[in-house]
Amino acid sequence: MQKEEVTEHLGKVVKILLIIGIVAALFLFGPAIKKGLLNLVYKSMQADIRISPTTIEEWARPDAVEVFSAELIECGFEPIGDFTINQSSRVKIRAFMHQDHNIYAMIYDKYHTPALLDFYSFYEDGRSVRYSTAKNPHKGKPDNKIIWYIEEPLSIQEIVDKMVARRPEGILLPVSAEAFPTSLERDMEEISLWESGEFMQ
């Protein structure tokens, strides 16, 4: 066999081995690669969620905000400050924290609707529990994100007591003014990413 023939033969063998190697790699790592690529696609569909301090000059329901704020403070919550989501003038948040129960409370003035209340607890393992006075949209959610909708008249103290009693066991992340924006951003981004994945399937 001449040198050229040997070289050509070896080239074909190398190509065959490369193809076999690629097929084997796809077979072994295909699901992980697919998941990684899909996550990149989902993330590219999402705008970065940023919770930024702001000065709120006008609320749609200033009377409700003041009443809720006073009741939250009376129930042991401490004010954190006023925030907005992605610098939107249409989503305003007044945040509070209850350090004894590791609960964040938020008064929302969202899209000029009457003030809404949300209560959050976050876990070390990524789970979260949320009580909300928003209307139940009957949408799906990730398994590690528990959302309860308040559909009966309850005082803030009754909501807190119910939340503490119903929360699953686990190590809760301590609340703080510094941790609030990051905790809420991460939770909202994880839910948004999950929703994008469900939409793409």
Side-chain angles (χ1 to χ4, degrees), residues 3-194:
K3 185 177 179 180
E4 290 80 6
E5 293 177 339
V6 172
T7 303
E8 184 180 351
H9 181 72
L10 286 174
K12 289 180 179 179
V13 171
V14 169
K15 286 180 181 179
I16 292 171
L17 290 175
L18 280 173
I19 291 170
I20 293 172
I22 291 170
V23 171
L26 288 173
F27 180 78
L28 291 172
F29 304 109
I33 293 171
K34 180 182 177 183
K35 185 177 180 182
L37 289 173
L38 285 175
N39 277 337
L40 287 174
V41 172
Y42 302 154
K43 287 182 179 180
S44 70
M45 296 171 63
Q46 305 300 315
D48 286 338
I49 296 173
R50 290 290 173 263
I51 311 298
S52 306
T54 188
T55 301
I56 297 175
E57 298 177 356
E58 183 180 350
W59 294 83
R61 286 285 306 278
D63 53 337
V65 173
E66 293 309 316
V67 168
F68 287 144
S69 295
E71 191 174 348
L72 283 164
I73 291 170
E74 187 178 330
C75 292
F77 285 86
E78 303 171 47
I80 295 175
D82 292 341
F83 299 83
T84 187
I85 300 176
N86 289 359
Q87 302 296 330
S88 170
S89 61
R90 301 198 303 165
V91 183
K92 306 164 186 174
I93 301 170
R94 178 159 292 170
F96 299 79
M97 62 183 177
H98 198 305
Q99 292 185 311
D100 290 341
H101 295 312
N102 291 320
I103 296 174
Y104 290 112
M106 282 155 271
I107 305 170
Y108 284 86
D109 188 56
K110 189 174 182 181
Y111 304 112
H112 301 295
T113 58
L116 302 172
L117 283 171
D118 271 359
F119 299 83
Y120 278 91
S121 285
F122 300 107
Y123 290 78
E124 280 191 352
D125 60 9
R127 288 179 295 159
S128 66
V129 173
R130 172 187 168 200
Y131 250 114
S132 180
T133 62
K135 291 183 179 179
N136 187 346
H138 301 291
K139 290 183 178 179
K141 57 180 177 51
D143 293 337
N144 65 340
K145 308 296 180 185
I146 298 171
I147 304 177
W148 293 311
Y149 293 94
I150 303 165
E151 298 177 350
E152 57 184 314
L154 294 173
S155 69
I156 286 176
Q157 188 60 61
E158 287 173 329
I159 294 170
V160 171
D161 292 342
K162 200 169 184 178
M163 183 173 183
V164 170
R166 289 186 67 185
R167 282 186 311 203
E169 293 292 326
I171 302 175
L172 291 166
L173 290 173
V175 297
S176 71
E178 295 76 21
F180 166 72
T182 304
S183 298
L184 186 59
E185 286 169 359
R186 181 171 56 246
D187 198 68
M188 293 177 70
E189 285 179 349
E190 288 173 358
I191 292 175
S192 183
L193 187 63
W194 179 87

